[in-house]
Amino acid sequence: MKLYTAILLVVSLLLRACSQQAPAEGNEAVENYPKGDQTYLPANLRPILDRQQKAAFNFFYEGAESGSGMSLEGNNRGNTITIGGSGFGVMALVVGMERGWITREQGIEQIQRMLRFLKRADRYKGVWSHWHNPDGSYAPFGNQIATGDLVETSFLLEGLLVAYEYLDKGTPEENAIRADIDALYDSVDWAGYTGPQQDGLYWLWYSQEDRYVLKITGWNEALVTYLLALGATEKGVSAEVYQKGWNVPVYPGRKVNAYPFPLGREEKGGPLFFSHYSFLGFDPRHMADANAWYWQQNLSHTMLNRHYCLYEAPKENDYGPGLWGLTACYGAGSTDYYSARNPSGDDGVMAPTAALSSFPYTPFYSAQVLVSLDRIRDCQGQYGLADSFKPSERAATRNHLAIDQGPMVVMMENYRSGLIWNLFMRNARVQRALQKAGIGEPKLDDGFPYVVADSRNSVVDLMAHPDREKYELDCYSSMPGQAHFSVALGSTGETIQEFDQTVPAGVFRFSFDDTRITRGEKYLLAAKLPSGETFRLEVVLH
């Protein structure tokens, strides 16, 4: 049985009866807009992004466990503390401090309380349990009694490393936080979770039985676990353990619906959290090895999930351009159980976190879902969007889960500013982990490698960045020099914008404003690079 399936069977039973459901009203889901529509104009989209990102953030601030500041499993789950979700919560607090939703002092105070809790909480070879009680004792998760959960612990440390990098002002309070994070990281016995055969990391250690369960093998959400184990200076693991244990199935050259997709047995990609949890901190744009470029893997995964919802799912599921995205979430309507939904396991329930946590990969397609759900009154919960929605019944579950709220806050921010990626990737432990894993910068071809066209129409949909208010494309040039860019109307070929730009060897950004742009029209972008070669991209500008 696959790892995520085994874990989520337990979760499903625990959460099945815990959702408040409401029939959704006022549905004005985004489908197709006429030419000239202003829906995605930065001035119109930015307030929606701000409101929903801040609402999800408040789950981790206003909705935190009152004593410890830790994240609750859900807003309807009593006082059960989640360890992995708390790591996501730390990253959300950093976003909140940076955006001014809370002061730096308020963020520091909460992180201090979280660290005091973590230092006194039950641990098993330095590893926390999946759930804890507010007094620090473990809380049973299914049959997990006095059990260390290495994957949840790695999600926690992913967040703490972000705080370590952000709180760098050198004050006594910030220095103390950084020292505590160092000590907690070093106290985790990663090597102690390699089992009797030392053939890879194990998800769980049942301490009372000295039993290891669920060897962590790819492809799933747990890449971060191996990488943080590699980055440990004490009690870490070797590259050999990583290679032997993670052992991702690789399919070189595989394309699914024309999207390059080399990793994993799931041809349609599995639930979208595979492309979220490890990559809240790890920036896939800068991660490639002999098997894959992780940005391409995750972008294709997201496009495959959307492709299924729009073009392959049963029509009665009522998905569409503004209603797509399958990942783990509560049920909704007559489908009342928690499940890791995906194209191979679809029951008509979509999760807002699926598309919204994919903003860096598919900005426009994610924005379509954001705008659609924002317009549905009964998809609004206490902390932003409902955890799940069943379009065919217009039914929503308006509760929230930490592991769904956190990725939305963080990945929206990674799209908007790159804040969390930039902080995490500069950490010395992270860089050591990537080096030991043989993961480095990708070898790119000249052109537009960071985008992929919808395989049904061969067009890339672009919107202006909501904060910087320009259309942007990251490009690659193998040599420095002068580049020439043009924007031409697709219907006539008339050039409406053109300019020269001095570019470096490597990645650079090509941006232009909306002068003479009619939103919803097709355009042809062309970049003549210093190599002398011209690269063209057919786009619809929104």
Side-chain angles (χ1 to χ4, degrees), residues 129-432:
S129 291
H130 190 107
W131 285 344
H132 282 262
N133 296 310
D135 65 0
S137 61
Y138 74 85
F141 179 73
N143 69 349
Q144 295 174 29
I145 306 298
T147 300
D149 187 320
L150 194 63
V151 174
E152 293 291 310
T153 293
S154 65
F155 296 154
L156 172 68
L157 292 171
E158 186 179 18
L160 290 179
L161 289 181
V162 170
Y164 180 95
E165 293 298 328
Y166 187 72
L167 301 176
D168 63 351
K169 301 302 184 186
T171 65
E173 293 81 8
E174 295 190 16
N175 286 343
I177 286 174
R178 287 161 63 94
D180 282 344
I181 292 171
D182 267 335
L184 287 172
Y185 195 118
D186 288 340
S187 67
V188 173
D189 187 359
W190 305 92
Y193 276 70
T194 56
Q197 305 301 319
Q198 298 186 350
D199 56 348
L201 292 171
Y202 282 76
W203 199 304
L204 304 170
W205 177 54
Y206 287 75
S207 66
Q208 293 179 329
E209 307 164 38
D210 192 21
R211 181 166 61 95
Y212 296 88
V213 174
L214 294 174
K215 183 180 176 183
I216 304 171
T217 59
W219 179 247
N220 53 43
E221 73 273 30
L223 176 62
V224 61
T225 306
Y226 274 101
L227 292 179
L228 293 188
L230 287 171
T233 54
E234 301 181 28
K235 305 176 184 177
V237 301
S238 66
E240 182 182 7
V241 168
Y242 162 61
Q243 297 293 344
K244 186 186 298 184
W246 186 232
N247 193 28
V248 176
V250 180
Y251 301 88
R254 181 177 67 179
K255 290 189 176 183
V256 182
N257 295 326
Y259 301 115
F261 197 59
L263 301 182
R265 293 186 181 88
E266 299 268 358
E267 278 205 356
K268 296 183 179 180
L272 272 176
F273 66 75
F274 286 8
S275 292
H276 299 156
Y277 293 176
S278 286
F279 300 99
L280 302 182
F282 282 103
D283 184 347
R285 295 173 300 180
H286 302 287
M287 296 174 62
D289 57 23
N291 299 324
W293 178 26
Y294 290 89
W295 171 265
Q296 186 180 72
Q297 169 77 15
N298 293 351
L299 174 57
S300 292
H301 183 196
T302 309
M303 292 297 288
L304 285 168
N305 196 287
R306 176 181 178 272
H307 182 100
Y308 167 80
C309 290
L310 269 62
Y311 307 126
E312 297 177 355
K315 289 185 178 180
E316 58 266 25
N317 288 3
D318 207 17
Y319 298 140
L323 296 172
W324 64 270
L326 305 180
T327 194
C329 64
Y330 280 126
S334 61
T335 308
D336 64 350
Y337 51 85
Y338 185 93
S339 177
R341 295 173 172 89
N342 64 89
S344 298
D346 171 29
D347 54 16
V349 176
M350 58 166 288
T353 190
L356 302 194
S357 300
S358 299
F359 248 104
Y361 309 127
T362 53
F364 176 70
Y365 301 140
S366 296
Q368 286 184 296
V369 176
L370 173 68
V371 171
S372 284
L373 295 178
D374 187 68
R375 292 176 171 180
I376 300 173
R377 184 176 66 248
D378 284 324
C379 271
Q380 313 308 311
Q382 183 180 4
Y383 298 111
L385 295 172
D387 191 67
S388 59
F389 180 57
K390 190 169 186 178
S392 64
E393 298 177 14
R394 294 300 186 260
T397 293
R398 292 185 290 180
N399 292 317
H400 307 286
L401 290 169
I403 57 172
D404 292 341
Q405 297 292 100
M408 288 193 288
V409 179
V410 174
M411 292 299 257
M412 283 182 177
E413 193 60 38
N414 279 333
Y415 163 64
R416 300 181 75 172
S417 71
L419 174 68
I420 302 302
W421 278 344
N422 293 338
L423 290 168
F424 186 81
M425 292 292 282
R426 78 187 190 195
N427 182 267
R429 297 176 188 270
V430 169
Q431 288 302 309
R432 180 167 53 251

